[in-house]
Amino acid sequence: MAKAATAAGIATGQCLCGKVTFEIDVPARWAWHDHSAASRRAHGAAYATYVGSWKKRFRITSGKTALTRYEDKATKTTRSFCSQCGTPIAYERPRGPHMVNIPRALFKERTGRQPLYHIAIEELQEWAYTGEPLVPLKGFPGVVWQRSKKKKRARGEDPFEMGRDEM
């Protein structure tokens, strides 16, 4: 029989408003980036990064009554979120009944796992940042941008050039 891993510490987290707080024993089981449409929509982001923990190693430390659950009848997945600020707290799937998946961004400390895996990568959106070089945006401290890959137009090729010269 396999010996259960002993906790090396605790990682704590909370929702945006602080009403719901939780902790997990670290190291977490695993971590990954989920590019699926369901996670994209649930988080309102290009993808969601999760940390998976055994349910027995996950504890809500305050605000349990503020948790609201949504069950997707088609997939039988359940998402829990703070009823006050709407922060997604947990994602549970029927094929992992002993696991709970928590958004990585909610943790204050390291979780003992790096997100090395990508789920539903075929659903990666063309507008999502994938590591292209970024440069500072002149005049906007703290803002960087990805330069266009388009070649610069030769003089006379820009349809708006005439209008700029007249300004």
Side-chain angles (χ1 to χ4, degrees):
M1 183 169 184
K3 185 177 152 186
T6 58
I10 293 174
T12 60
Q14 69 176 55
C15 65
L16 177 63
C17 71
K19 182 92 173 168
V20 177
T21 62
F22 56 86
E23 63 186 23
I24 64 167
D25 296 331
V26 295
R29 180 74 177 117
W30 72 317
W32 72 97
H33 304 292
D34 185 345
H35 300 272
S36 71
S39 282
R40 245 189 351 268
R41 289 185 180 111
H43 289 261
Y47 59 88
T49 302
Y50 291 105
V51 170
S53 174
W54 296 109
K55 284 183 180 178
K56 65 184 178 183
R57 295 174 60 130
F58 170 73
R59 295 168 295 282
I60 299 294
T61 53
S62 69
K64 193 170 191 167
T65 59
L67 282 177
T68 298
R69 292 171 61 86
Y70 166 75
E71 184 181 334
D72 183 327
K73 304 284 188 218
T75 62
K76 300 205 181 346
T77 57
T78 303
R79 295 179 185 272
S80 299
F81 55 94
C82 174
S83 61
Q84 186 164 315
C85 66
T87 300
I89 303 292
Y91 170 48
E92 299 169 69
R93 301 179 297 182
R95 69 178 188 195
H98 302 292
M99 297 291 294
V100 62
N101 307 299
I102 308 113
R104 173 61 182 96
L106 303 183
F107 287 96
K108 297 175 188 171
E109 297 90 8
R110 297 172 71 97
T111 63
R113 294 285 182 246
Q114 292 299 319
L116 302 176
Y117 309 96
H118 291 261
I119 304 294
I121 192 68
E122 68 279 4
E123 295 184 47
L124 176 71
Q125 299 298 291
E126 49 92 327
W127 47 263
Y129 175 69
T130 55
E132 298 84 1
L134 301 173
V135 296
L137 182 59
K138 188 177 177 181
F140 294 90
V143 178
V144 294
W145 69 293
Q146 179 184 330
R147 286 197 172 133
S148 175
K149 293 178 182 152
K150 294 179 184 174
K151 294 180 183 176
K152 289 190 176 190
R153 297 175 190 234
R155 187 144 176 87
E157 288 183 16
D158 184 347
F160 300 105
E161 190 172 281
M162 190 171 163
R164 282 193 208 112
D165 290 342
E166 294 174 358
M167 289 182 179

PDB file of all heavy atoms in Angstrom, residues 91-122:
ATOM      1  N   TYR A  91     -13.294  24.126  -8.280  1.00  0.00           N
ATOM      2  CA  TYR A  91     -13.830  23.461  -9.465  1.00  0.00           C
ATOM      3  C   TYR A  91     -13.688  21.965  -9.220  1.00  0.00           C
ATOM      4  O   TYR A  91     -12.598  21.485  -8.918  1.00  0.00           O
ATOM      5  CB  TYR A  91     -13.026  23.922 -10.687  1.00  0.00           C
ATOM      6  CG  TYR A  91     -13.269  23.183 -11.970  1.00  0.00           C
ATOM      7  CD1 TYR A  91     -14.544  22.927 -12.440  1.00  0.00           C
ATOM      8  CD2 TYR A  91     -12.197  22.766 -12.748  1.00  0.00           C
ATOM      9  CE1 TYR A  91     -14.748  22.265 -13.640  1.00  0.00           C
ATOM     10  CE2 TYR A  91     -12.388  22.108 -13.953  1.00  0.00           C
ATOM     11  CZ  TYR A  91     -13.669  21.860 -14.387  1.00  0.00           C
ATOM     12  OH  TYR A  91     -13.860  21.215 -15.576  1.00  0.00           O
ATOM     13  N   GLU A  92     -14.817  21.248  -9.303  1.00  0.00           N
ATOM     14  CA  GLU A  92     -14.807  19.805  -9.048  1.00  0.00           C
ATOM     15  C   GLU A  92     -15.374  19.064 -10.248  1.00  0.00           C
ATOM     16  O   GLU A  92     -16.338  19.516 -10.869  1.00  0.00           O
ATOM     17  CB  GLU A  92     -15.638  19.501  -7.801  1.00  0.00           C
ATOM     18  CG  GLU A  92     -15.070  20.182  -6.553  1.00  0.00           C
ATOM     19  CD  GLU A  92     -16.012  20.105  -5.378  1.00  0.00           C
ATOM     20  OE1 GLU A  92     -16.204  18.988  -4.862  1.00  0.00           O
ATOM     21  OE2 GLU A  92     -16.567  21.158  -5.002  1.00  0.00           O
ATOM     22  N   ARG A  93     -14.747  17.930 -10.562  1.00  0.00           N
ATOM     23  CA  ARG A  93     -15.147  17.116 -11.714  1.00  0.00           C
ATOM     24  C   ARG A  93     -15.495  15.707 -11.247  1.00  0.00           C
ATOM     25  O   ARG A  93     -14.851  15.189 -10.335  1.00  0.00           O
ATOM     26  CB  ARG A  93     -14.014  17.050 -12.741  1.00  0.00           C
ATOM     27  CG  ARG A  93     -13.612  18.401 -13.247  1.00  0.00           C
ATOM     28  CD  ARG A  93     -12.492  18.322 -14.233  1.00  0.00           C
ATOM     29  NE  ARG A  93     -11.289  17.773 -13.588  1.00  0.00           N
ATOM     30  CZ  ARG A  93     -10.137  17.611 -14.189  1.00  0.00           C
ATOM     31  NH1 ARG A  93     -10.003  17.930 -15.448  1.00  0.00           N
ATOM     32  NH2 ARG A  93      -9.099  17.126 -13.554  1.00  0.00           N
ATOM     33  N   PRO A  94     -16.472  15.064 -11.884  1.00  0.00           N
ATOM     34  CA  PRO A  94     -16.866  13.718 -11.464  1.00  0.00           C
ATOM     35  C   PRO A  94     -15.759  12.680 -11.661  1.00  0.00           C
ATOM     36  O   PRO A  94     -15.685  11.717 -10.908  1.00  0.00           O
ATOM     37  CB  PRO A  94     -18.090  13.394 -12.316  1.00  0.00           C
ATOM     38  CG  PRO A  94     -18.045  14.342 -13.462  1.00  0.00           C
ATOM     39  CD  PRO A  94     -17.307  15.550 -12.988  1.00  0.00           C
ATOM     40  N   ARG A  95     -14.872  12.891 -12.623  1.00  0.00           N
ATOM     41  CA  ARG A  95     -13.822  11.889 -12.823  1.00  0.00           C
ATOM     42  C   ARG A  95     -12.694  11.996 -11.786  1.00  0.00           C
ATOM     43  O   ARG A  95     -11.800  11.180 -11.767  1.00  0.00           O
ATOM     44  CB  ARG A  95     -13.268  11.954 -14.236  1.00  0.00           C
ATOM     45  CG  ARG A  95     -12.484  13.174 -14.541  1.00  0.00           C
ATOM     46  CD  ARG A  95     -11.947  13.098 -15.946  1.00  0.00           C
ATOM     47  NE  ARG A  95     -11.029  14.202 -16.153  1.00  0.00           N
ATOM     48  CZ  ARG A  95     -10.598  14.601 -17.297  1.00  0.00           C
ATOM     49  NH1 ARG A  95     -10.986  13.981 -18.388  1.00  0.00           N
ATOM     50  NH2 ARG A  95      -9.768  15.606 -17.396  1.00  0.00           N
ATOM     51  N   GLY A  96     -12.759  13.013 -10.936  1.00  0.00           N
ATOM     52  CA  GLY A  96     -11.808  13.160  -9.830  1.00  0.00           C
ATOM     53  C   GLY A  96     -12.558  13.435  -8.545  1.00  0.00           C
ATOM     54  O   GLY A  96     -12.438  14.515  -7.976  1.00  0.00           O
ATOM     55  N   PRO A  97     -13.356  12.474  -8.069  1.00  0.00           N
ATOM     56  CA  PRO A  97     -14.236  12.727  -6.924  1.00  0.00           C
ATOM     57  C   PRO A  97     -13.516  13.066  -5.612  1.00  0.00           C
ATOM     58  O   PRO A  97     -14.134  13.618  -4.704  1.00  0.00           O
ATOM     59  CB  PRO A  97     -15.033  11.432  -6.792  1.00  0.00           C
ATOM     60  CG  PRO A  97     -14.168  10.394  -7.427  1.00  0.00           C
ATOM     61  CD  PRO A  97     -13.434  11.091  -8.524  1.00  0.00           C
ATOM     62  N   HIS A  98     -12.235  12.773  -5.513  1.00  0.00           N
ATOM     63  CA  HIS A  98     -11.495  13.060  -4.285  1.00  0.00           C
ATOM     64  C   HIS A  98     -10.599  14.286  -4.417  1.00  0.00           C
ATOM     65  O   HIS A  98      -9.810  14.581  -3.530  1.00  0.00           O
ATOM     66  CB  HIS A  98     -10.656  11.841  -3.876  1.00  0.00           C
ATOM     67  CG  HIS A  98     -11.488  10.615  -3.677  1.00  0.00           C
ATOM     68  ND1 HIS A  98     -12.385  10.500  -2.643  1.00  0.00           N
ATOM     69  CD2 HIS A  98     -11.591   9.475  -4.405  1.00  0.00           C
ATOM     70  CE1 HIS A  98     -13.002   9.332  -2.740  1.00  0.00           C
ATOM     71  NE2 HIS A  98     -12.542   8.692  -3.800  1.00  0.00           N
ATOM     72  N   MET A  99     -10.749  14.982  -5.558  1.00  0.00           N
ATOM     73  CA  MET A  99      -9.913  16.152  -5.842  1.00  0.00           C
ATOM     74  C   MET A  99     -10.747  17.427  -5.895  1.00  0.00           C
ATOM     75  O   MET A  99     -11.916  17.398  -6.240  1.00  0.00           O
ATOM     76  CB  MET A  99      -9.209  16.003  -7.201  1.00  0.00           C
ATOM     77  CG  MET A  99      -8.242  14.855  -7.317  1.00  0.00           C
ATOM     78  SD  MET A  99      -6.764  15.079  -6.326  1.00  0.00           S
ATOM     79  CE  MET A  99      -6.017  16.466  -7.138  1.00  0.00           C
ATOM     80  N   VAL A 100     -10.106  18.532  -5.558  1.00  0.00           N
ATOM     81  CA  VAL A 100     -10.694  19.862  -5.725  1.00  0.00           C
ATOM     82  C   VAL A 100      -9.636  20.704  -6.428  1.00  0.00           C
ATOM     83  O   VAL A 100      -8.441  20.573  -6.155  1.00  0.00           O
ATOM     84  CB  VAL A 100     -11.139  20.474  -4.374  1.00  0.00           C
ATOM     85  CG1 VAL A 100      -9.973  20.664  -3.426  1.00  0.00           C
ATOM     86  CG2 VAL A 100     -11.877  21.779  -4.585  1.00  0.00           C
ATOM     87  N   ASN A 101     -10.070  21.521  -7.348  1.00  0.00           N
ATOM     88  CA  ASN A 101      -9.170  22.355  -8.137  1.00  0.00           C
ATOM     89  C   ASN A 101      -9.422  23.811  -7.781  1.00  0.00           C
ATOM     90  O   ASN A 101     -10.554  24.282  -7.845  1.00  0.00           O
ATOM     91  CB  ASN A 101      -9.400  22.095  -9.619  1.00  0.00           C
ATOM     92  CG  ASN A 101      -9.314  20.610  -9.915  1.00  0.00           C
ATOM     93  OD1 ASN A 101      -8.287  19.992  -9.709  1.00  0.00           O
ATOM     94  ND2 ASN A 101     -10.415  20.021 -10.356  1.00  0.00           N
ATOM     95  N   ILE A 102      -8.360  24.508  -7.407  1.00  0.00           N
ATOM     96  CA  ILE A 102      -8.461  25.878  -6.911  1.00  0.00           C
ATOM     97  C   ILE A 102      -7.665  26.797  -7.833  1.00  0.00           C
ATOM     98  O   ILE A 102      -6.544  26.462  -8.216  1.00  0.00           O
ATOM     99  CB  ILE A 102      -7.896  25.973  -5.473  1.00  0.00           C
ATOM    100  CG1 ILE A 102      -8.540  24.919  -4.567  1.00  0.00           C
ATOM    101  CG2 ILE A 102      -8.118  27.360  -4.891  1.00  0.00           C
ATOM    102  CD1 ILE A 102      -7.585  23.870  -4.104  1.00  0.00           C
ATOM    103  N   PRO A 103      -8.214  27.955  -8.200  1.00  0.00           N
ATOM    104  CA  PRO A 103      -7.455  28.881  -9.031  1.00  0.00           C
ATOM    105  C   PRO A 103      -6.129  29.265  -8.370  1.00  0.00           C
ATOM    106  O   PRO A 103      -6.093  29.690  -7.211  1.00  0.00           O
ATOM    107  CB  PRO A 103      -8.379  30.093  -9.169  1.00  0.00           C
ATOM    108  CG  PRO A 103      -9.751  29.529  -8.984  1.00  0.00           C
ATOM    109  CD  PRO A 103      -9.578  28.454  -7.944  1.00  0.00           C
ATOM    110  N   ARG A 104      -5.034  29.098  -9.086  1.00  0.00           N
ATOM    111  CA  ARG A 104      -3.690  29.359  -8.537  1.00  0.00           C
ATOM    112  C   ARG A 104      -3.535  30.795  -8.065  1.00  0.00           C
ATOM    113  O   ARG A 104      -2.855  31.074  -7.080  1.00  0.00           O
ATOM    114  CB  ARG A 104      -2.624  29.020  -9.605  1.00  0.00           C
ATOM    115  CG  ARG A 104      -1.196  29.403  -9.218  1.00  0.00           C
ATOM    116  CD  ARG A 104      -0.767  28.658  -7.965  1.00  0.00           C
ATOM    117  NE  ARG A 104       0.554  29.012  -7.508  1.00  0.00           N
ATOM    118  CZ  ARG A 104       0.820  29.912  -6.561  1.00  0.00           C
ATOM    119  NH1 ARG A 104      -0.163  30.599  -6.008  1.00  0.00           N
ATOM    120  NH2 ARG A 104       2.051  30.132  -6.170  1.00  0.00           N
ATOM    121  N   ALA A 105      -4.157  31.738  -8.759  1.00  0.00           N
ATOM    122  CA  ALA A 105      -3.997  33.158  -8.441  1.00  0.00           C
ATOM    123  C   ALA A 105      -4.524  33.542  -7.057  1.00  0.00           C
ATOM    124  O   ALA A 105      -4.186  34.611  -6.546  1.00  0.00           O
ATOM    125  CB  ALA A 105      -4.691  34.005  -9.502  1.00  0.00           C
ATOM    126  N   LEU A 106      -5.323  32.687  -6.442  1.00  0.00           N
ATOM    127  CA  LEU A 106      -5.900  33.018  -5.132  1.00  0.00           C
ATOM    128  C   LEU A 106      -4.948  32.750  -3.968  1.00  0.00           C
ATOM    129  O   LEU A 106      -5.182  33.214  -2.861  1.00  0.00           O
ATOM    130  CB  LEU A 106      -7.192  32.228  -4.915  1.00  0.00           C
ATOM    131  CG  LEU A 106      -8.281  32.415  -5.965  1.00  0.00           C
ATOM    132  CD1 LEU A 106      -9.524  31.627  -5.580  1.00  0.00           C
ATOM    133  CD2 LEU A 106      -8.601  33.876  -6.182  1.00  0.00           C
ATOM    134  N   PHE A 107      -3.875  32.014  -4.226  1.00  0.00           N
ATOM    135  CA  PHE A 107      -2.938  31.655  -3.158  1.00  0.00           C
ATOM    136  C   PHE A 107      -1.936  32.766  -2.891  1.00  0.00           C
ATOM    137  O   PHE A 107      -1.448  33.421  -3.800  1.00  0.00           O
ATOM    138  CB  PHE A 107      -2.179  30.372  -3.517  1.00  0.00           C
ATOM    139  CG  PHE A 107      -3.022  29.140  -3.433  1.00  0.00           C
ATOM    140  CD1 PHE A 107      -3.635  28.632  -4.560  1.00  0.00           C
ATOM    141  CD2 PHE A 107      -3.198  28.488  -2.211  1.00  0.00           C
ATOM    142  CE1 PHE A 107      -4.409  27.487  -4.484  1.00  0.00           C
ATOM    143  CE2 PHE A 107      -3.983  27.354  -2.137  1.00  0.00           C
ATOM    144  CZ  PHE A 107      -4.586  26.849  -3.270  1.00  0.00           C
ATOM    145  N   LYS A 108      -1.600  32.924  -1.603  1.00  0.00           N
ATOM    146  CA  LYS A 108      -0.588  33.897  -1.195  1.00  0.00           C
ATOM    147  C   LYS A 108       0.807  33.279  -1.236  1.00  0.00           C
ATOM    148  O   LYS A 108       1.780  33.980  -1.480  1.00  0.00           O
ATOM    149  CB  LYS A 108      -0.872  34.384   0.230  1.00  0.00           C
ATOM    150  CG  LYS A 108      -2.177  35.123   0.370  1.00  0.00           C
ATOM    151  CD  LYS A 108      -2.451  35.455   1.827  1.00  0.00           C
ATOM    152  CE  LYS A 108      -3.842  36.023   1.980  1.00  0.00           C
ATOM    153  NZ  LYS A 108      -4.233  36.152   3.382  1.00  0.00           N
ATOM    154  N   GLU A 109       0.889  31.985  -0.961  1.00  0.00           N
ATOM    155  CA  GLU A 109       2.185  31.307  -0.906  1.00  0.00           C
ATOM    156  C   GLU A 109       2.344  30.342  -2.073  1.00  0.00           C
ATOM    157  O   GLU A 109       1.415  30.089  -2.819  1.00  0.00           O
ATOM    158  CB  GLU A 109       2.314  30.490   0.404  1.00  0.00           C
ATOM    159  CG  GLU A 109       2.281  31.302   1.672  1.00  0.00           C
ATOM    160  CD  GLU A 109       0.854  31.475   2.212  1.00  0.00           C
ATOM    161  OE1 GLU A 109      -0.081  30.841   1.693  1.00  0.00           O
ATOM    162  OE2 GLU A 109       0.691  32.273   3.144  1.00  0.00           O
ATOM    163  N   ARG A 110       3.539  29.781  -2.138  1.00  0.00           N
ATOM    164  CA  ARG A 110       3.813  28.734  -3.123  1.00  0.00           C
ATOM    165  C   ARG A 110       3.000  27.502  -2.753  1.00  0.00           C
ATOM    166  O   ARG A 110       2.742  27.254  -1.580  1.00  0.00           O
ATOM    167  CB  ARG A 110       5.298  28.426  -3.137  1.00  0.00           C
ATOM    168  CG  ARG A 110       6.133  29.623  -3.567  1.00  0.00           C
ATOM    169  CD  ARG A 110       7.612  29.352  -3.392  1.00  0.00           C
ATOM    170  NE  ARG A 110       8.088  28.393  -4.358  1.00  0.00           N
ATOM    171  CZ  ARG A 110       8.680  28.702  -5.494  1.00  0.00           C
ATOM    172  NH1 ARG A 110       8.875  29.964  -5.799  1.00  0.00           N
ATOM    173  NH2 ARG A 110       9.098  27.771  -6.335  1.00  0.00           N
ATOM    174  N   THR A 111       2.623  26.755  -3.763  1.00  0.00           N
ATOM    175  CA  THR A 111       1.784  25.572  -3.536  1.00  0.00           C
ATOM    176  C   THR A 111       2.556  24.259  -3.666  1.00  0.00           C
ATOM    177  O   THR A 111       1.987  23.195  -3.480  1.00  0.00           O
ATOM    178  CB  THR A 111       0.604  25.550  -4.526  1.00  0.00           C
ATOM    179  OG1 THR A 111       1.131  25.450  -5.849  1.00  0.00           O
ATOM    180  CG2 THR A 111      -0.260  26.790  -4.376  1.00  0.00           C
ATOM    181  N   GLY A 112       3.818  24.348  -4.004  1.00  0.00           N
ATOM    182  CA  GLY A 112       4.622  23.142  -4.142  1.00  0.00           C
ATOM    183  C   GLY A 112       4.511  22.482  -5.507  1.00  0.00           C
ATOM    184  O   GLY A 112       5.117  21.441  -5.742  1.00  0.00           O
ATOM    185  N   ARG A 113       3.759  23.067  -6.408  1.00  0.00           N
ATOM    186  CA  ARG A 113       3.627  22.552  -7.771  1.00  0.00           C
ATOM    187  C   ARG A 113       3.613  23.718  -8.746  1.00  0.00           C
ATOM    188  O   ARG A 113       2.930  24.720  -8.526  1.00  0.00           O
ATOM    189  CB  ARG A 113       2.333  21.749  -7.958  1.00  0.00           C
ATOM    190  CG  ARG A 113       2.268  20.487  -7.187  1.00  0.00           C
ATOM    191  CD  ARG A 113       3.155  19.402  -7.807  1.00  0.00           C
ATOM    192  NE  ARG A 113       3.026  18.172  -7.064  1.00  0.00           N
ATOM    193  CZ  ARG A 113       4.001  17.617  -6.354  1.00  0.00           C
ATOM    194  NH1 ARG A 113       5.184  18.174  -6.290  1.00  0.00           N
ATOM    195  NH2 ARG A 113       3.800  16.488  -5.714  1.00  0.00           N
ATOM    196  N   GLN A 114       4.342  23.556  -9.836  1.00  0.00           N
ATOM    197  CA  GLN A 114       4.327  24.535 -10.912  1.00  0.00           C
ATOM    198  C   GLN A 114       3.347  24.057 -11.982  1.00  0.00           C
ATOM    199  O   GLN A 114       3.261  22.854 -12.224  1.00  0.00           O
ATOM    200  CB  GLN A 114       5.725  24.681 -11.525  1.00  0.00           C
ATOM    201  CG  GLN A 114       6.735  25.309 -10.581  1.00  0.00           C
ATOM    202  CD  GLN A 114       6.339  26.714 -10.165  1.00  0.00           C
ATOM    203  OE1 GLN A 114       5.853  27.508 -10.974  1.00  0.00           O
ATOM    204  NE2 GLN A 114       6.508  27.029  -8.895  1.00  0.00           N
ATOM    205  N   PRO A 115       2.620  24.976 -12.630  1.00  0.00           N
ATOM    206  CA  PRO A 115       1.684  24.571 -13.688  1.00  0.00           C
ATOM    207  C   PRO A 115       2.433  24.199 -14.962  1.00  0.00           C
ATOM    208  O   PRO A 115       2.726  25.044 -15.788  1.00  0.00           O
ATOM    209  CB  PRO A 115       0.798  25.799 -13.871  1.00  0.00           C
ATOM    210  CG  PRO A 115       1.645  26.940 -13.407  1.00  0.00           C
ATOM    211  CD  PRO A 115       2.566  26.403 -12.355  1.00  0.00           C
ATOM    212  N   LEU A 116       2.747  22.927 -15.106  1.00  0.00           N
ATOM    213  CA  LEU A 116       3.511  22.443 -16.249  1.00  0.00           C
ATOM    214  C   LEU A 116       2.629  21.868 -17.349  1.00  0.00           C
ATOM    215  O   LEU A 116       3.112  21.604 -18.446  1.00  0.00           O
ATOM    216  CB  LEU A 116       4.506  21.360 -15.798  1.00  0.00           C
ATOM    217  CG  LEU A 116       5.499  21.793 -14.725  1.00  0.00           C
ATOM    218  CD1 LEU A 116       6.353  20.601 -14.296  1.00  0.00           C
ATOM    219  CD2 LEU A 116       6.367  22.932 -15.218  1.00  0.00           C
ATOM    220  N   TYR A 117       1.365  21.659 -17.060  1.00  0.00           N
ATOM    221  CA  TYR A 117       0.462  20.987 -17.990  1.00  0.00           C
ATOM    222  C   TYR A 117      -0.526  21.973 -18.593  1.00  0.00           C
ATOM    223  O   TYR A 117      -0.897  22.956 -17.963  1.00  0.00           O
ATOM    224  CB  TYR A 117      -0.302  19.870 -17.272  1.00  0.00           C
ATOM    225  CG  TYR A 117       0.616  18.951 -16.523  1.00  0.00           C
ATOM    226  CD1 TYR A 117       0.853  19.138 -15.163  1.00  0.00           C
ATOM    227  CD2 TYR A 117       1.262  17.906 -17.169  1.00  0.00           C
ATOM    228  CE1 TYR A 117       1.723  18.301 -14.471  1.00  0.00           C
ATOM    229  CE2 TYR A 117       2.131  17.066 -16.488  1.00  0.00           C
ATOM    230  CZ  TYR A 117       2.356  17.270 -15.137  1.00  0.00           C
ATOM    231  OH  TYR A 117       3.212  16.452 -14.463  1.00  0.00           O
ATOM    232  N   HIS A 118      -0.974  21.672 -19.812  1.00  0.00           N
ATOM    233  CA  HIS A 118      -1.997  22.469 -20.492  1.00  0.00           C
ATOM    234  C   HIS A 118      -3.135  21.532 -20.875  1.00  0.00           C
ATOM    235  O   HIS A 118      -2.916  20.521 -21.536  1.00  0.00           O
ATOM    236  CB  HIS A 118      -1.433  23.124 -21.758  1.00  0.00           C
ATOM    237  CG  HIS A 118      -0.450  24.196 -21.460  1.00  0.00           C
ATOM    238  ND1 HIS A 118      -0.780  25.530 -21.473  1.00  0.00           N
ATOM    239  CD2 HIS A 118       0.867  24.134 -21.112  1.00  0.00           C
ATOM    240  CE1 HIS A 118       0.286  26.244 -21.165  1.00  0.00           C
ATOM    241  NE2 HIS A 118       1.300  25.419 -20.940  1.00  0.00           N
ATOM    242  N   ILE A 119      -4.340  21.871 -20.444  1.00  0.00           N
ATOM    243  CA  ILE A 119      -5.538  21.105 -20.762  1.00  0.00           C
ATOM    244  C   ILE A 119      -6.290  21.867 -21.854  1.00  0.00           C
ATOM    245  O   ILE A 119      -6.385  23.095 -21.807  1.00  0.00           O
ATOM    246  CB  ILE A 119      -6.447  20.963 -19.506  1.00  0.00           C
ATOM    247  CG1 ILE A 119      -5.684  20.340 -18.347  1.00  0.00           C
ATOM    248  CG2 ILE A 119      -7.724  20.218 -19.825  1.00  0.00           C
ATOM    249  CD1 ILE A 119      -5.255  18.925 -18.528  1.00  0.00           C
ATOM    250  N   ALA A 120      -6.845  21.156 -22.824  1.00  0.00           N
ATOM    251  CA  ALA A 120      -7.625  21.745 -23.921  1.00  0.00           C
ATOM    252  C   ALA A 120      -6.819  22.778 -24.703  1.00  0.00           C
ATOM    253  O   ALA A 120      -7.339  23.813 -25.113  1.00  0.00           O
ATOM    254  CB  ALA A 120      -8.938  22.341 -23.395  1.00  0.00           C
ATOM    255  N   ILE A 121      -5.540  22.482 -24.944  1.00  0.00           N
ATOM    256  CA  ILE A 121      -4.680  23.413 -25.675  1.00  0.00           C
ATOM    257  C   ILE A 121      -5.210  23.689 -27.079  1.00  0.00           C
ATOM    258  O   ILE A 121      -4.996  24.771 -27.631  1.00  0.00           O
ATOM    259  CB  ILE A 121      -3.217  22.910 -25.708  1.00  0.00           C
ATOM    260  CG1 ILE A 121      -2.266  24.012 -26.206  1.00  0.00           C
ATOM    261  CG2 ILE A 121      -3.083  21.647 -26.548  1.00  0.00           C
ATOM    262  CD1 ILE A 121      -2.100  25.172 -25.276  1.00  0.00           C
ATOM    263  N   GLU A 122      -5.966  22.760 -27.615  1.00  0.00           N
ATOM    264  CA  GLU A 122      -6.546  22.985 -28.946  1.00  0.00           C
ATOM    265  C   GLU A 122      -7.577  24.116 -28.921  1.00  0.00           C
ATOM    266  O   GLU A 122      -7.963  24.633 -29.967  1.00  0.00           O
ATOM    267  CB  GLU A 122      -7.175  21.693 -29.491  1.00  0.00           C
ATOM    268  CG  GLU A 122      -8.411  21.223 -28.766  1.00  0.00           C
ATOM    269  CD  GLU A 122      -8.140  20.456 -27.462  1.00  0.00           C
ATOM    270  OE1 GLU A 122      -6.974  20.322 -27.046  1.00  0.00           O
ATOM    271  OE2 GLU A 122      -9.125  20.006 -26.844  1.00  0.00           O
TER     272      GLU A 122
END
